[in-house]
Short mmCIF file of all heavy atoms in Angstrom, two decimals:
data_model
loop_
_atom_site.label_atom_id
_atom_site.label_comp_id
_atom_site.label_asym_id
_atom_site.label_seq_id
_atom_site.Cartn_x
_atom_site.Cartn_y
_atom_site.Cartn_z
N THR A 208 168.86 62.59 -57.80
CA THR A 208 170.06 63.19 -57.37
C THR A 208 170.99 62.01 -56.86
O THR A 208 172.13 62.18 -56.62
CB THR A 208 169.89 64.10 -56.13
OG1 THR A 208 169.44 63.34 -54.94
CG2 THR A 208 168.94 65.22 -56.40
N SER A 209 170.38 60.80 -56.79
CA SER A 209 171.31 59.64 -56.38
C SER A 209 171.48 58.61 -57.48
O SER A 209 172.47 58.19 -57.73
CB SER A 209 170.73 59.07 -55.10
OG SER A 209 170.03 57.97 -55.32
N TYR A 210 170.43 58.34 -58.22
CA TYR A 210 170.57 57.30 -59.29
C TYR A 210 171.26 57.72 -60.56
O TYR A 210 171.61 57.04 -61.43
CB TYR A 210 169.31 56.42 -59.53
CG TYR A 210 168.13 57.25 -60.07
CD1 TYR A 210 168.23 57.71 -61.45
CD2 TYR A 210 166.91 57.26 -59.42
CE1 TYR A 210 167.12 58.39 -61.93
CE2 TYR A 210 165.77 57.97 -59.99
CZ TYR A 210 165.89 58.48 -61.27
OH TYR A 210 164.82 59.12 -61.73
N ARG A 211 171.24 59.17 -60.76
CA ARG A 211 171.87 59.61 -62.00
C ARG A 211 173.16 60.40 -61.64
O ARG A 211 173.08 61.23 -60.78
CB ARG A 211 170.96 60.50 -62.77
CG ARG A 211 171.46 60.84 -64.13
CD ARG A 211 170.33 61.46 -65.01
NE ARG A 211 169.42 60.45 -65.48
CZ ARG A 211 168.37 60.73 -66.27
NH1 ARG A 211 168.16 61.90 -66.63
NH2 ARG A 211 167.53 59.68 -66.64
N GLY A 212 174.24 60.04 -62.14
CA GLY A 212 175.51 60.81 -61.88
C GLY A 212 176.13 60.19 -60.69
O GLY A 212 175.59 59.21 -59.99
N ASP A 213 177.28 60.75 -60.30
CA ASP A 213 177.98 60.17 -59.18
C ASP A 213 178.03 61.24 -58.06
O ASP A 213 179.09 61.41 -57.43
CB ASP A 213 179.34 59.73 -59.57
CG ASP A 213 180.10 60.78 -60.36
OD1 ASP A 213 179.56 61.98 -60.44
OD2 ASP A 213 181.18 60.56 -60.76
N ASN A 214 176.96 61.85 -57.78
CA ASN A 214 176.97 63.05 -56.74
C ASN A 214 177.18 62.39 -55.44
O ASN A 214 176.63 61.46 -54.99
CB ASN A 214 175.60 63.61 -56.69
CG ASN A 214 175.15 64.06 -58.06
OD1 ASN A 214 175.94 64.36 -58.91
ND2 ASN A 214 173.89 64.09 -58.27
N ALA A 215 178.12 63.03 -54.62
CA ALA A 215 178.46 62.56 -53.28
C ALA A 215 177.30 63.08 -52.42
O ALA A 215 176.90 62.35 -51.58
CB ALA A 215 179.81 63.14 -52.83
N ARG A 216 176.75 64.18 -52.78
CA ARG A 216 175.64 64.73 -51.96
C ARG A 216 174.32 64.46 -52.69
O ARG A 216 174.15 64.77 -53.82
CB ARG A 216 175.77 66.20 -51.74
CG ARG A 216 174.87 66.79 -50.63
CD ARG A 216 175.21 68.28 -50.48
NE ARG A 216 174.68 69.01 -51.58
CZ ARG A 216 173.97 70.18 -51.52
NH1 ARG A 216 173.72 70.71 -50.25
NH2 ARG A 216 173.57 70.79 -52.59
N THR A 217 173.45 63.82 -51.92
CA THR A 217 172.19 63.48 -52.48
C THR A 217 171.07 64.00 -51.45
O THR A 217 171.44 64.27 -50.32
CB THR A 217 171.97 61.96 -52.70
OG1 THR A 217 171.80 61.38 -51.42
CG2 THR A 217 173.10 61.32 -53.43
N THR A 218 169.81 63.95 -51.85
CA THR A 218 168.87 64.39 -50.98
C THR A 218 168.73 63.47 -49.73
O THR A 218 168.35 63.85 -48.67
CB THR A 218 167.47 64.52 -51.64
OG1 THR A 218 167.23 63.26 -52.32
CG2 THR A 218 167.37 65.64 -52.60
N PHE A 219 169.17 62.29 -50.00
CA PHE A 219 169.02 61.22 -48.86
C PHE A 219 170.09 61.37 -47.82
O PHE A 219 169.89 60.99 -46.70
CB PHE A 219 169.09 59.77 -49.49
CG PHE A 219 167.96 59.55 -50.42
CD1 PHE A 219 168.34 59.26 -51.78
CD2 PHE A 219 166.70 59.53 -50.13
CE1 PHE A 219 167.28 59.02 -52.75
CE2 PHE A 219 165.64 59.28 -51.04
CZ PHE A 219 165.91 59.05 -52.43
N ASN A 220 171.23 61.95 -48.14
CA ASN A 220 172.31 62.18 -47.10
C ASN A 220 172.52 63.68 -46.81
O ASN A 220 173.49 63.94 -46.19
CB ASN A 220 173.62 61.41 -47.55
CG ASN A 220 174.21 62.07 -48.84
OD1 ASN A 220 173.93 63.19 -49.14
ND2 ASN A 220 175.19 61.31 -49.51
N ASP A 221 171.64 64.49 -47.27
CA ASP A 221 171.78 65.94 -47.08
C ASP A 221 171.69 66.19 -45.61
O ASP A 221 170.70 65.88 -44.94
CB ASP A 221 170.68 66.63 -47.88
CG ASP A 221 170.82 68.16 -47.77
OD1 ASP A 221 170.51 68.66 -46.69
OD2 ASP A 221 171.38 68.70 -48.67
N PRO A 222 172.65 66.86 -44.98
CA PRO A 222 172.62 67.15 -43.52
C PRO A 222 171.40 67.98 -43.12
O PRO A 222 170.82 67.69 -42.10
CB PRO A 222 173.94 67.96 -43.28
CG PRO A 222 174.77 67.71 -44.46
CD PRO A 222 173.92 67.32 -45.62
N ALA A 223 171.01 68.91 -43.86
CA ALA A 223 169.84 69.88 -43.51
C ALA A 223 168.60 68.99 -43.45
O ALA A 223 167.75 69.11 -42.50
CB ALA A 223 169.79 71.01 -44.53
N ILE A 224 168.44 68.13 -44.50
CA ILE A 224 167.18 67.31 -44.50
C ILE A 224 167.23 66.27 -43.38
O ILE A 224 166.12 66.13 -42.70
CB ILE A 224 167.08 66.60 -45.87
CG1 ILE A 224 166.99 67.70 -47.09
CG2 ILE A 224 165.80 65.70 -45.94
CD1 ILE A 224 166.87 67.08 -48.39
N LEU A 225 168.33 65.70 -43.20
CA LEU A 225 168.53 64.67 -42.03
C LEU A 225 168.25 65.42 -40.70
O LEU A 225 167.68 64.75 -39.83
CB LEU A 225 169.86 64.02 -42.12
CG LEU A 225 169.99 62.97 -43.35
CD1 LEU A 225 171.48 62.54 -43.36
CD2 LEU A 225 169.06 61.86 -43.13
N ALA A 226 168.63 66.69 -40.62
CA ALA A 226 168.47 67.32 -39.32
C ALA A 226 166.94 67.46 -39.06
O ALA A 226 166.50 67.24 -37.94
CB ALA A 226 169.17 68.68 -39.26
N ILE A 227 166.27 67.88 -40.00
CA ILE A 227 164.74 68.05 -39.89
C ILE A 227 164.17 66.70 -39.62
O ILE A 227 163.29 66.56 -38.75
CB ILE A 227 164.19 68.78 -41.17
CG1 ILE A 227 164.73 70.23 -41.25
CG2 ILE A 227 162.63 68.74 -41.12
CD1 ILE A 227 164.37 70.83 -42.52
N ALA A 228 164.58 65.69 -40.31
CA ALA A 228 164.13 64.32 -40.17
C ALA A 228 164.26 63.85 -38.69
O ALA A 228 163.35 63.38 -38.13
CB ALA A 228 164.77 63.36 -41.06
N GLY A 229 165.43 64.16 -38.18
CA GLY A 229 165.89 63.84 -36.81
C GLY A 229 164.89 64.49 -35.84
O GLY A 229 164.40 63.89 -34.77
N GLU A 230 164.44 65.68 -36.04
CA GLU A 230 163.54 66.37 -35.22
C GLU A 230 162.16 65.81 -35.08
O GLU A 230 161.43 66.03 -34.19
CB GLU A 230 163.40 67.98 -35.67
CG GLU A 230 164.70 68.72 -35.33
CD GLU A 230 164.81 70.09 -36.04
OE1 GLU A 230 163.67 70.55 -36.39
OE2 GLU A 230 165.92 70.49 -36.31
N HIS A 231 161.79 65.02 -36.19
CA HIS A 231 160.43 64.41 -36.19
C HIS A 231 160.51 62.97 -36.03
O HIS A 231 159.44 62.32 -36.03
CB HIS A 231 159.75 64.76 -37.44
CG HIS A 231 159.37 66.21 -37.66
ND1 HIS A 231 158.31 66.82 -37.08
CD2 HIS A 231 159.92 67.21 -38.36
CE1 HIS A 231 158.17 68.02 -37.29
NE2 HIS A 231 159.18 68.33 -38.08
N GLY A 232 161.76 62.42 -35.86
CA GLY A 232 161.92 60.93 -35.87
C GLY A 232 161.38 60.28 -37.16
O GLY A 232 160.77 59.18 -37.07
N LYS A 233 161.66 60.98 -38.23
CA LYS A 233 161.24 60.48 -39.55
C LYS A 233 162.48 60.26 -40.47
O LYS A 233 163.61 60.79 -40.13
CB LYS A 233 160.20 61.43 -40.17
CG LYS A 233 158.86 61.43 -39.52
CD LYS A 233 158.10 60.16 -39.92
CE LYS A 233 156.78 59.98 -39.37
NZ LYS A 233 156.04 58.79 -39.82
N SER A 234 162.40 59.77 -41.70
CA SER A 234 163.42 59.65 -42.59
C SER A 234 163.41 60.88 -43.51
O SER A 234 162.47 61.64 -43.58
CB SER A 234 163.16 58.40 -43.43
OG SER A 234 162.12 58.54 -44.28
N ALA A 235 164.62 60.99 -44.24
CA ALA A 235 164.74 62.10 -45.16
C ALA A 235 163.67 62.08 -46.21
O ALA A 235 163.02 63.07 -46.60
CB ALA A 235 166.14 62.02 -45.85
N ALA A 236 163.36 60.83 -46.70
CA ALA A 236 162.29 60.63 -47.79
C ALA A 236 160.95 61.12 -47.19
O ALA A 236 160.22 61.82 -47.84
CB ALA A 236 162.20 59.24 -48.14
N GLN A 237 160.66 60.77 -45.93
CA GLN A 237 159.41 61.14 -45.38
C GLN A 237 159.27 62.65 -45.21
O GLN A 237 158.20 63.23 -45.42
CB GLN A 237 159.16 60.41 -44.01
CG GLN A 237 158.96 58.97 -44.20
CD GLN A 237 158.93 58.20 -42.83
OE1 GLN A 237 159.72 58.52 -42.00
NE2 GLN A 237 158.06 57.22 -42.75
#
Side-chain angles (χ1 to χ4, degrees):
T208 68
S209 98
Y210 64 64
R211 190 164 290 179
D213 51 3
N214 309 330
R216 194 178 68 138
T217 72
T218 51
F219 301 115
N220 66 20
D221 184 283
I224 301 176
L225 287 172
I227 295 171
E230 287 163 27
H231 291 281
K233 288 284 181 179
S234 68
Q237 288 171 323

